[in-house]
Amino acid sequence: MDIQLINVTPDSPGFAELKSQSMAEGFNMLRRLEDNWLSGQNRFDRPGEKLIGASVDGLIVGVCGLNVDPFTQAAGTGRLRHLYVDSGWRKRQVGSALLREILKDSVHWFDFINTNAPPSAFTFYERAGFVALTGIEKVTHHLCLRGSAR
């Protein structure tokens, strides 16, 4: 299995199918990603932001984005967004590969990364070094990058 990590947009081949699968599972993150992309509200184009996909044999099997966190005024805070992996590709390191790639070089832009994960993903994020938080609206997990050189 050769996973290629590539820049994607909602217009990328296979995105619509991945979005449909996510919605059938009750997740709306890829629908929101597409809506915000098409409206111009979020194009992942500010400094430090990116949107990547995992492709296997030309098929998009996962997506992950990183933004400046729009829900906090704290400078240097990023937000991991829209991480979704095709159900047939879970438990095959696709999510981990996406997460590693999205976080690579993020310390140049961010001191912290927040995410608002569904309960089914809590263990995944905690194994990746994120700390569970309570009492903060729209944040379930937080990763501190501050110890690294900026």
Side-chain angles (χ1 to χ4, degrees):
M1 169 181 69
D2 187 25
I3 301 170
Q4 302 292 317
L5 300 174
I6 59 172
N7 292 323
V8 295
T9 73
D11 295 326
S12 296
F15 182 88
E17 292 82 358
L18 195 64
K19 179 186 76 172
S20 293
Q21 182 189 98
S22 72
M23 291 174 66
E25 287 188 83
F27 298 115
N28 288 312
M29 74 261 297
L30 297 186
R31 181 193 51 78
R32 283 191 319 272
L33 185 159
E34 181 178 54
D35 290 349
N36 290 333
W37 183 276
L38 293 174
S39 74
Q41 182 179 346
N42 185 3
R43 289 285 179 100
F44 298 87
D45 56 1
R46 292 181 289 177
E49 296 186 338
K50 50 188 160 178
L51 179 63
I52 61 170
S55 174
V56 177
D57 297 328
L59 176 68
I60 294 177
V61 298
V63 174
C64 186
L66 180 63
N67 282 127
V68 172
D69 192 330
F71 303 112
T72 182
Q73 297 298 316
T77 304
R79 176 166 286 260
L80 188 74
R81 308 196 71 182
H82 311 300
L83 177 56
Y84 181 80
V85 175
D86 179 299
S87 61
W89 286 91
R90 293 179 193 150
K91 309 285 186 202
R92 298 171 77 177
Q93 301 302 309
V94 173
S96 296
L98 283 165
L99 185 59
R100 274 191 308 275
E101 184 65 21
I102 210 79
L103 292 176
K104 185 169 63 173
D105 301 325
S106 62
V107 71
H108 296 296
W109 305 99
F110 304 110
D111 298 319
F112 306 98
I113 306 291
N114 290 332
T115 195
N116 187 20
S120 59
F122 285 6
T123 301
F124 170 80
Y125 284 107
E126 290 163 15
R127 284 184 183 152
F130 282 75
V131 175
L133 298 178
T134 58
I136 301 175
E137 189 176 356
K138 299 187 183 204
V139 178
T140 60
H141 290 79
H142 179 81
L143 181 67
C144 180
L145 304 173
R146 192 180 327 180
S148 303
R150 203 161 176 212

